[in-house]
Amino acid sequence: MPLSLVLLAAWAVAFLTLNVILCVRVWRIRDLPTWRRLLPAGLLCAALAASLTRAAGITVIASTVAFPLNMATLVVAYGEIRAHRRSARADNRARELAP
């Protein structure tokens, strides 16, 4: 097997692992409404379903939809985590300044 295929497979596994980790982190943020906690996981499931269409021989859907959905999962989950951290820092600062 050529080295480029091994590197591509390793990159794909690392990218999927990162997406799953971020989805779990967003899922555990209890301050968010349910739909916002479910959004990254739903996007990831849709991306995985689109990727699985490649096995059925429908490569157009997999090529067109799967990667953008994976990127959307990454962006939405990372944005939610950053927003939660930012609000937590603001809350901590407010508690420190309160008499």
Side-chain angles (χ1 to χ4, degrees):
M1 182 182 294
L3 181 62
S4 60
L5 286 178
V6 172
L7 291 175
L8 181 65
W11 179 84
V13 169
F15 189 70
L16 179 64
T17 304
L18 176 66
N19 274 342
V20 169
I21 289 170
L22 289 177
C23 286
V24 169
R25 284 181 133 186
V26 170
W27 182 265
R28 296 176 70 192
I29 299 174
R30 297 291 175 198
D31 299 340
L32 292 176
T34 305
W35 71 271
R36 283 178 57 190
R37 287 180 20 210
L38 286 174
L39 184 61
L43 288 171
L44 182 61
C45 288
L48 291 174
S51 292
L52 287 175
T53 61
R54 185 172 287 131
I58 308 170
T59 59
V60 175
I61 293 174
S63 300
T64 308
V65 177
F67 186 70
L69 281 173
N70 278 320
M71 289 304 295
T73 301
L74 185 75
V75 169
V76 168
Y78 190 65
E80 290 291 350
I81 291 169
R82 282 183 54 122
H84 177 70
R85 286 182 181 167
R86 192 176 18 227
S87 68
R89 268 191 238 126
D91 290 344
N92 287 340
R93 285 185 192 149
R95 285 186 193 130
E96 288 175 359
L97 295 175

